[in-house]
Amino acid sequence: MSRLRPIFLVVFVLSLISGLIAQPAPKADAPEDRPPRPDGPPPGERPEGKGKKGKGKGPGGPGGGGGKARPANNRPLQELWIPPSIEGKTFALTLGTSTKKFLDGTTNTYGYNQLSFWGPTLILNQGETVTMNVKNELKEATTVHWHGLHLPAATDGGPHQIVEPGKTWSPSFVVKNNAGTYWYHPHLHEATQKQLALGAGGLIIIRDPIEAKLALPRTYGVDDLPLVLTSRRFKDNQFTYDGDNDKYGDYQLTNGTLDAQTKLPRQLVRLRILNAEIERGYVLGFSDNRVFYQIATDGGLVDKPVPLKRLTLMVGERTEILVDLGVDKVGGAVDLMAYNSNQTFGFPGGEPDTGGANGSYLNNYDYRLLRINVGAPTAKAITKVPEVLTRNVFVSEKEASAKRTISVTDGRPHFAFDGKPFDMHTTNMVVKLGATEVWTVKNNNIFGHSFHLHDVQFRILSRTDRDVAEYEKGWKDTFYLPKGASVTFVAKFDDYASDTDPFMFHCHMSNHEDGGMMGQFIVSKDPAAVKKDAKGMINFRAQTKHPLPAAEVAATAAQASKPAAAFAKKDLAGNQLALADLAKTKPVVLFFIEKECPCSRDAAPYLSQLQAAYGEACAVVGVINADEAGAKEWAAAVKPGFPVVADPDFAVIDAYGAKRSVYVTVVAPGGKIAKAYPGYNADSLTEISGTVAKLGGVPAKPLVWKDAPGELLAGCPLK
């Protein structure tokens, strides 16, 4: 027995070592704040086994995804939150801090209009002029970009239209886009990811006569459902947003709801889906592999519904689909899924890691985005998919007057375009107003991207990675650019031009965008006349920094006491305005306007205030460098409290020596110039007010010029 003890001891030690070896080592890249991965499904939830392999060509084609299902979690399902909708011509959006409970504690968030996450859905009508009063109640600057909308660069809400804390930005514009699903979100350079991650954003729905005539579901929140897809990572119950280190969330949020479910009627339903992620892409489909029908891309309706089983949606892209729940039983359920497993390398969110900069517990898995429970149909249920939706007329490649190539470069540590770091104040890209151009965007061999173009919708012509998918043949403003691939598109740059306000193009993955993967271009009436420096670059200055050459200042001062040039023109209401009549007994204030200049729009309310304060004791007249149609569009957007006359041939502008927008001339009763001002600020407005009161023989009004610039602001050149 004593001789057997050493053998037993050896066996015991070996078994102990074997047991230790058999124990799985903890993953070094799975921090404690990551969600656990349960071994089994919670009660009442269908086990999610291995997904079915898609029938297409991976993430780029209509199949994509399939293979590995995410282990089910044991959290209870929560009712999907539907953002409230607001409709009209004037919208108030106030961005502030808020809180929301996602897990066990309270999470700090951002929201518009006191919502705890995200913002209201804005419903606009094509052809109407709308005003957006955007108030910033954060302790940091922000911007609001109207993603996908066609409007002047100065109202686009990109990184140049900054809204400082406590300030309100009030752009107005005509709604020119087709009916479709668009969105708004922050675009502050180097802070987009943070503000978006905290919850700042909202949907825009545009309606038009063509879409209104179709038999489509459009009862918002009932059979017409907005779905905003994103994910978040938490640390101590707070969102994390550390650039590339937080590109992928561990928890799926649909409309800001964790583990979302909703009840939809047993009929055709419309899903308006936005990928609002930081970087992750989605391959969308349904758990029973049913066919659904795409009816709209980024920029509106497609010609005919596109039957699909899979659809790839990259960051910033939108799609509208019809799903036939009429084939289901009341009380049944189906899941909207992300079939994101087994993707080609470079697909964002396809990385196999669970932790670290490129990891997430959602990566490389198929998982549920929304549980749809089927309820009773509505009284006026839509049950048939329309055969035809619209007839899009796309611009042709043959019409192109220019071709451009943009290359994705670098990537370590930051991506860029054409090897140039982003500079908000310079560009060398100029597009002629009205031109049709073909752009090719070439990607390097590091990773996939989501390319977004501001200003216009375009049509994708070709891809080098595959054929253009049916689901991306409509109007687009954003597209997936896979690793090592090129995409070519055609666009027409019409309606809006400015030599001082650029439009953007960039990767819509906000960690890449913040890192400088952006470029900009201007649309100009006369590209040859745009001033460039010795390096061929166009330099942008802040609007308060327009230089005033000494010669212009001297010429303006020399206007005093000169006879005012006579003019007789009809204003936009058809009233005859003659200087001789206006200046018989009261002073006249002439306000010179460049139709695209943001300074003109900013200064107009002060001139309206002046007219309102002095009533019949003075006459304020706006003179704009536009034809009647352009003048009416400007007036509809700005709503000035004074008459405006169109001066397309510059007869009045040249007669008064006005060189720049917001040039102001005060004409004394009798017809002599009292004084001219090359720009405006709070001091000049106060001086003009005093001069008007003195010349009009009325007491001076104690006017307050709220938010007027402190230094003299000269506007854009009038020519």
Side-chain angles (χ1 to χ4, degrees):
M1 187 75 177
S2 60
R3 285 184 292 178
L4 292 176
R5 283 179 180 174
I7 298 174
F8 286 146
L9 185 61
V10 169
V11 171
F12 174 75
V13 170
L14 289 175
S15 64
L16 187 63
I17 293 172
S18 176
L20 288 173
I21 293 173
Q23 295 296 317
K27 288 182 178 292
D29 59 357
E32 293 181 355
D33 52 66
R34 293 296 180 84
R37 287 187 137 179
D39 294 325
E45 179 168 329
R46 182 173 65 254
E48 297 181 13
K50 290 187 176 182
K52 297 179 179 180
K53 184 69 177 176
K55 296 181 180 180
K57 303 177 182 178
K68 187 167 60 171
R70 188 176 73 84
N73 66 69
N74 55 11
R75 296 184 300 269
L77 296 177
Q78 301 182 45
E79 288 304 311
L80 179 74
W81 175 73
I82 306 295
S85 64
I86 52 179
E87 186 170 359
K89 297 182 181 180
T90 301
F91 297 86
L93 286 175
T94 300
L95 179 60
T97 58
S98 189
T99 60
K100 184 172 181 176
K101 185 174 181 179
F102 290 95
L103 302 173
D104 294 330
T106 299
T107 301
N108 295 322
T109 60
Y110 286 175
Y112 291 95
N113 295 9
Q114 299 183 325
L115 296 176
S116 61
F117 186 86
W118 205 241
T121 297
L122 311 181
I123 300 179
L124 315 180
N125 294 302
Q126 186 187 65
E128 292 185 346
T129 298
V130 296
T131 299
M132 305 292 188
N133 295 312
V134 180
K135 185 176 182 181
N136 180 12
E137 289 189 347
L138 302 177
K139 293 182 179 179
E140 60 190 278
T142 190
T143 77
V144 181
H145 168 53
W146 319 107
H147 183 123
L149 269 58
H150 179 46
L151 34 67
T155 62
D156 183 55
H160 301 83
Q161 288 83 49
I162 296 173
V163 189
E164 297 291 348
K167 300 294 185 181
T168 299
W169 179 52
S170 299
S172 296
F173 51 86
V174 179
V175 180
K176 294 198 173 186
N177 289 75
N178 295 330
T181 304
Y182 307 85
W183 64 306
Y184 59 93
H185 61 80
H187 207 314
L188 186 67
H189 184 36
E190 299 181 331
T192 299
Q193 180 181 359
K194 173 190 174 183
Q195 295 187 358
L196 189 62
L198 286 169
L203 290 171
I204 298 172
I205 294 175
I206 294 180
R207 304 201 187 282
D208 70 14
I210 294 176
E211 189 271 347
K213 291 179 181 178
L214 297 171
L216 291 173
R218 62 172 61 83
T219 303
Y220 181 80
V222 177
D223 60 5
D224 186 352
L225 201 68
L227 295 179
V228 179
L229 306 179
T230 189
S231 62
R232 292 293 182 271
R233 182 180 291 181
F234 293 84
K235 182 176 183 180
D236 299 327
N237 284 313
Q238 302 305 312
F239 292 144
T240 59
Y241 41 83
D242 182 21
D244 273 349
N245 294 321
D246 283 315
K247 62 184 72 172
Y248 302 127
D250 291 318
Y251 292 84
Q252 177 65 36
L253 299 178
T254 300
N255 290 2
T257 305
L258 192 66
D259 306 308
Q261 68 171 347
T262 193
K263 181 180 285 187
L264 294 177
R266 184 176 178 267
Q267 61 193 62
L268 278 179
V269 295
R270 180 183 197 167
L271 305 182
R272 300 174 182 266
I273 308 175
L274 160 69
N275 182 338
E277 275 281 14
I278 302 303
E279 182 168 304
R280 188 189 313 279
Y282 292 95
V283 178
L284 302 176
F286 287 89
S287 53
D288 59 359
N289 212 34
R290 69 177 60 195
V291 173
F292 57 92
Y293 299 87
Q294 183 194 42
I295 60 170
T297 51
D298 295 337
L301 296 171
V302 294
D303 288 352
K304 297 180 180 180
V306 181
L308 299 165
K309 289 188 177 181
R310 298 288 185 271
L311 185 155
T312 299
L313 200 69
M314 202 49 58
V315 182
E317 287 186 300
R318 290 87 60 211
T319 189
E320 294 182 27
I321 64 173
L322 294 180
V323 185
D324 188 3
L325 299 181
V327 299
D328 296 82
K329 295 180 180 179
V330 172
V334 65
D335 292 340
L336 176 65
M337 300 286 293
Y339 286 107
N340 282 12
S341 64
N342 299 333
Q343 300 297 335
T344 304
F345 178 74
F347 183 89
E351 297 93 324
D353 306 325
T354 57
N358 297 318
S360 161
Y361 279 154
L362 298 177
N363 274 11
N364 196 31
Y365 275 94
D366 301 339
Y367 57 92
R368 183 185 61 238
L369 301 169
L370 176 69
R371 166 68 49 81
I372 298 174
N373 301 305
V374 182
T378 62
K380 296 182 179 180
I382 303 295
T383 59
K384 183 180 179 181
V385 177
E387 293 183 3
V388 177
L389 298 167
T390 188
R391 185 177 180 181
N392 287 304
V393 179
F394 298 105
V395 290
S396 169
E397 184 178 7
K398 295 178 181 178
E399 301 172 43
S401 58
K403 293 186 177 182
R404 300 178 191 269
T405 299
I406 299 170
S407 297
V408 177
T409 54
D410 305 325
R412 298 181 178 90
H414 299 298
F415 290 101
F417 288 114
D418 296 327
K420 300 174 184 176
F422 175 64
D423 181 353
M424 276 185 59
H425 303 291
T426 61
T427 187
N428 62 359
M429 286 187 62
V430 184
V431 176
K432 183 175 176 58
L433 179 64
T436 296
E437 295 198 354
V438 171
W439 290 26
T440 297
V441 187
K442 294 183 175 181
N443 197 7
N444 60 17
N445 289 303
I446 297 178
F447 200 69
H449 298 282
S450 183
F451 183 90
H452 172 49
L453 180 73
H454 291 211
D455 183 26
V456 293
Q457 296 287 324
F458 53 77
R459 179 171 66 98
I460 297 176
L461 295 173
S462 63
R463 289 176 161 277
T464 59
D465 57 315
R466 55 172 170 79
D467 292 337
V468 179
E470 289 298 320
Y471 60 77
E472 57 182 1
K473 287 185 177 179
W475 290 112
K476 296 287 292 174
D477 56 57
T478 307
F479 58 78
Y480 178 38
L481 184 63
K483 178 178 72 73
S486 297
V487 175
T488 298
F489 64 86
V490 60
K492 185 173 183 179
F493 298 84
D494 53 3
D495 295 325
Y496 302 116
S498 172
D499 289 352
T500 59
D501 298 289
F503 289 108
M504 310 301 298
F505 60 87
H506 59 93
C507 177
H508 214 286
M509 298 169 181
S510 52
N511 51 316
H512 293 176
E513 175 184 323
D514 284 348
M517 193 176 175
M518 292 198 292
Q520 55 192 350
F521 63 98
I522 64 169
V523 179
S524 175
K525 296 175 186 175
D526 185 4
V530 177
K531 293 182 179 179
K532 297 183 178 181
D533 63 18
K535 296 181 179 179
M537 303 299 289
I538 304 160
N539 295 290
F540 302 115
R541 297 177 177 85
Q543 295 298 332
T544 55
K545 301 295 184 182
H546 281 304
L548 273 171
E552 282 188 29
V553 175
T556 302
Q559 293 290 320
S561 300
K562 284 186 176 181
F567 65 83
K569 282 181 171 285
K570 286 186 178 180
D571 67 11
L572 301 182
N575 301 312
Q576 186 73 19
L577 298 183
L579 181 67
D581 295 332
L582 293 171
K584 274 184 180 179
T585 58
K586 59 186 178 184
V588 177
V589 179
L590 299 177
F591 171 53
F592 293 92
I593 302 162
E594 203 292 314
K595 67 174 184 176
E596 299 294 346
C597 177
C599 308
S600 296
R601 293 185 288 272
D602 293 344
Y606 300 117
L607 277 298
S608 297
Q609 183 180 341
L610 189 74
Q611 179 68 81
Y614 290 102
E616 295 299 320
C618 84
V620 176
V621 177
V623 181
I624 187 169
N625 65 340
D627 58 20
E628 186 173 2
K632 285 183 176 179
E633 185 171 317
W634 183 90
V638 177
K639 299 179 178 65
F642 49 84
V644 175
V645 298
D647 190 29
D649 56 1
F650 293 83
V652 181
I653 291 170
D654 288 343
Y656 281 85
K659 300 293 185 184
R660 298 171 183 272
S661 181
V662 302
Y663 188 102
V664 178
T665 300
V666 181
V667 180
K672 284 192 176 182
I673 294 175
K675 189 171 181 178
Y677 300 82
Y680 83 103
N681 60 5
D683 290 340
S684 71
L685 290 167
T686 299
E687 184 177 325
I688 292 169
S689 174
T691 301
V692 165
K694 182 178 179 181
L695 295 173
V698 296
K701 306 284 186 178
L703 300 179
V704 177
W705 311 105
K706 185 180 179 182
D707 297 331
E711 58 183 303
L712 193 66
L713 178 61
C716 309
L718 288 164
K719 289 186 176 180

